[in-house]
């Protein structure tokens, strides 16, 4: 079942298309990571998914129902968009209480459960206005999650969190997805999205330029074996003689680009030792996600 489906979703601000013909589909139980640089159009798309702004063109379907004024499944959706807002003079618990009433929930234990879950117990009586940014983010997530929605839509959920918080939120999202929730999250932090999402959409200047699963992403990252020896010119000749695809990098590393070497870099060491040219260093290089992202953007621009 498709939980989210957008069809050619387009939103103009003036003459700029903040989102340009974006069609995405998110299946039940998926964690979909929507990746893009600042200003790429992530928040705009999320605001349209939540009916906060109207598209100039295109449609949104949530739970197979078109998003119109008659849409009546808001209780199945939890969200956090941009900097989460809270009543500044109310404590964490009081803020959640307001939300509990707004959502018309009927199990007060949920409030303490979610406070505990988001590691906010120490701050439950602290006024929202004095919370750190990371804890405000946790409070925002608590509000999004308290009613146990089937679909969670989160705009930059790890903004402002410390490394420990990032790991906690990542684990929390994975747990929610394992229990059947569908999650759509936006981020510009590529490594994080890759760690949590099953599928990734890359948006740039309003356009969806690539969609891939996390396995496909892993396959598409450039990998190579980097080698250093005391005589790189000779090592290159030797490696070419046994059909390796070899080049010299700008940093004077020997780069071996073929799959055979990438799968078994230890054979490279063994070969060079046998040839009387023991390598000083052999290491497997994997392109990082920032590089992949920039490469993707450049090739599509
Ligand atoms: P960030 O990561 O910085 O939050 P984003 O990917 O969420 O960026 P959007 O906030 O969706 O990007 O903005 C996309 C484009 O639309 C930007 O050029 C932005 O300046 C513009 N934009 C967004 N909201 C408005 C608005 N209300 N009025 C005018 N322009 C807007």
């Amino acid at each position: 079942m498709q939980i989210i489906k957008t069809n050619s979703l387009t939103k103009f601000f003036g003459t700029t298309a903040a989102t340009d013909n974006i069609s995405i589909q998110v299946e039940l139980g998926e964690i979909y990571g929507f990746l893009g640089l600042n200003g790429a159009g992530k928040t705009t798309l999320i605001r349209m998914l939540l009916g906060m702004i109207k598209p100039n063109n295109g449609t949104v379907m949530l739970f197979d129902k078109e998003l119109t004024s008659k849409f009546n499944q808001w209780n199945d959706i939890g969200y956090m968009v941009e900097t989460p807002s809270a009543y500044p003079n109310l404590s964490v618990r009081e803020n959640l209480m307001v939300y509990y009433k707004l959502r018309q929930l009927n199990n007060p234990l949920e409030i303490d459960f979610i406070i505990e879950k988001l590691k906010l117990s120490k701050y439950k009586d602290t006024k929202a206005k004095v919370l750190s940014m990371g804890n405000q983010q946790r409070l925002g997530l608590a509000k999004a999650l308290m009613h146990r929605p089937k679909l969670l839509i989160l705009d930059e959920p790890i903004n402002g969190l410390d490394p420990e918080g990032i790991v906690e939120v990542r684990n929390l999202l994975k747990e929610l997805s394992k229990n059947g929730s569908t999650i759509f999250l936006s981020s510009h932090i590529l490594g994080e999205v890759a760690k949590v999402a099953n599928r990734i959409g890359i948006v740039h200047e309003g356009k969806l330029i690539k969609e891939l699963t996390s396995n496909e992403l892993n396959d598409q990252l450039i990998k190579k074996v980097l080698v250093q020896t005391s005589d790189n010119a000779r090592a290159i000749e030797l490696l070419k003689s046994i059909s390796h695809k070899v080049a010299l990098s700008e940093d004077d590393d020997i780069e071996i680009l073929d799959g055979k070497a990438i799968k078994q870099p230890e054979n490279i060491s063994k070969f060079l030792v046998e040839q009387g040219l023991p390598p000083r260093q052999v290491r497997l290089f994997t392109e990082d996600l920032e590089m992949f992202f920039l490469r993707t953007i450049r090739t599509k621009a």
Side-chain angles (χ1 to χ4, degrees), residues 13 16 18 36-45 47 82 155-156 188:
F13 291 112
T16 310
L37 302 174
N38 292 130
K42 304 180 295 293
T43 305
T44 303
L45 183 100
R47 287 167 74 206
E82 292 172 310
D155 194 12
E156 305 269 3
H188 61 276

Side-chain angles (χ1 to χ4, degrees), residues 86-95 122-132 135-136 139:
Y87 297 102
N89 284 313
L90 297 187
S91 69
V92 164
R93 201 172 189 290
E94 287 164 342
N95 262 287
K122 231 165 90 184
Y123 307 98
K124 66 174 190 282
D125 298 318
T126 305
K127 283 189 179 173
K129 67 180 177 192
V130 297
L131 290 176
S132 68
N135 283 331
Q136 284 185 28
L139 176 57

